[in-house]
Amino acid sequence: MSGEFKNRIEALDLDEATKQKVLNVIEEAGFDFPCLLCSSNSTCENFQWYLKWFNK
């Protein structure tokens, strides 16, 4: 995972195991994002938010 979520979680200075657990939860949520199935991704503000935070 890369993106803003990862940057901010790494800044929390958590131990490696906890950091990985948090990143895994966020990564799993990202794959469940409904906008991934939408055809208007190129013009959608919600999808732009998704790209910023998940860097997909």
Side-chain angles (χ1 to χ4, degrees), residues 39-51:
S39 62
S40 64
N41 290 342
S42 62
T43 59
C44 178
E45 289 183 24
N46 289 332
F47 194 68
Q48 297 308 312
W49 171 90
Y50 176 79
L51 291 176

Side-chain angles (χ1 to χ4, degrees), residues 4-19:
E4 194 63 26
F5 275 122
K6 183 176 183 182
N7 296 341
R8 294 196 184 197
I9 290 169
E10 288 182 348
L12 294 175
D13 198 32
L14 302 170
D15 64 86
E16 193 59 37
T18 302
K19 179 172 51 174

Side-chain angles (χ1 to χ4, degrees), residues 25-37 50 54 56:
V25 168
I26 293 171
E27 181 80 7
E28 186 177 331
F31 286 118
D32 201 28
F33 193 61
C35 291
L36 293 175
L37 302 175
Y50 176 79
F54 288 91
K56 294 284 183 181

